[in-house]
Amino acid sequence: MEHTALTELLISLGVPESVVKEVPKLPGTVTGLLIYGSRSRGDAVASSDLDLLALVPVQLPSVNIGAVSVSFYTVAQLATGISSLFGAHLKRDGKILRDDDGTLAASLERMGQVDTARLFERARVMSELFTTPDIDLPKYLPGLLREVRYLLRSCLYAQAIAKGSPCFSVREIAIRHGDPDLARLLASRHDDESRLTDYSACQSRLRGLIGDFPASRHGSLEATVVNEWGAGSDLLSMAFMALGSSGGGSDYAEVEKILL
């Protein structure tokens, strides 16, 4: 799909021209393209992001320009989303804009149901990254805040699924919980500096969902990376993202697999 054709299609879907003009030219190797999130559901507000997923033969880093995020996935990486929260999100809210050989549609069909109990347990295990604040917060507050937001948002979505009323909108979740500040806390884009108060607010809400965080087995984020190196564990992937080594603009696309 030519860039002009893509921008015209996005405008026809109601994406503002001010956002569309920030969409980068995509590589010629893209064979599938999908829009997801609020711009796809039709409940976007003026400040909403535009989230695009592009299918490519070789993994590429995400691109984040202004309000536009483009995440690149290979078929193998997308397959790790089967039974995941992200896979369910794509299948429920995603709209395919391009699918040269039907691979993208077939991948979405295989996403399946989310095991919410397993997701809560995995989130609890990952939360040990938050238990060495004296060592990590002075250096890694932005990354840790991004991580706790990710886990809290994921657990709230999973809770909605477990209750039989799926929802992938942070604004709707905030309304359901009678907690207006949730929409701001969980927004995917923040232009202000990372604040310790937001980190504590997210931690408190996350504890309400998964219980107390287990003590760190390694003593710090950096030690977690060293000790988990080569294990390919969720903890290693999360620690990398918290350190800012990957996933600077995305919760999903910079690691070899979809986490939740």
Side-chain angles (χ1 to χ4, degrees), residues 1-2 8 10 23 41-42 51 73 90 106 111-112 127 146-148 155 162 175 185 188 211 215 217 227 247 250:
M1 181 184 294
E2 295 294 332
E8 289 176 350
L10 291 171
V23 175
R41 287 191 303 271
D51 296 306
Y73 283 83
L90 294 178
M111 288 304 173
S127 69
R146 189 171 66 245
E147 300 283 84
V148 74
C155 288
I175 292 170
L185 285 172
S188 56
R217 288 167 284 172
N227 295 337
S250 168

Side-chain angles (χ1 to χ4, degrees), residues 181-251:
D181 203 32
L182 262 180
R184 180 190 64 81
L185 285 172
L186 298 181
S188 56
R189 188 157 56 105
H190 293 265
D191 297 326
D192 53 346
E193 289 187 2
S194 300
R195 296 188 297 187
L196 188 59
T197 53
D198 287 346
Y199 180 65
S200 298
C202 289
Q203 276 199 333
S204 175
R205 289 166 171 81
L206 183 59
R207 282 196 181 91
L209 293 168
I210 65 174
D212 288 338
F213 306 155
S216 172
R217 288 167 284 172
H218 305 296
S220 71
L221 282 172
E222 293 170 356
T224 298
V225 169
V226 172
N227 295 337
E228 295 282 328
W229 188 260
S233 67
D234 293 341
L235 207 57
L236 176 63
S237 298
M238 289 287 284
F240 258 127
M241 288 196 289
L243 291 174
S245 301
S246 62
S250 168
D251 296 324

Side-chain angles (χ1 to χ4, degrees), residues 2 9 12 24 59-60 65 87 99 117-118 137 139-140 142 163 185 208 216 234 238-239:
E2 295 294 332
L9 176 57
S12 73
Q59 172 62 6
L60 299 171
I65 303 174
D99 194 8
R118 180 170 178 268
L137 277 180
K139 291 189 287 185
Y140 301 119
K163 290 181 176 179
L185 285 172
S216 172
D234 293 341
M238 289 287 284

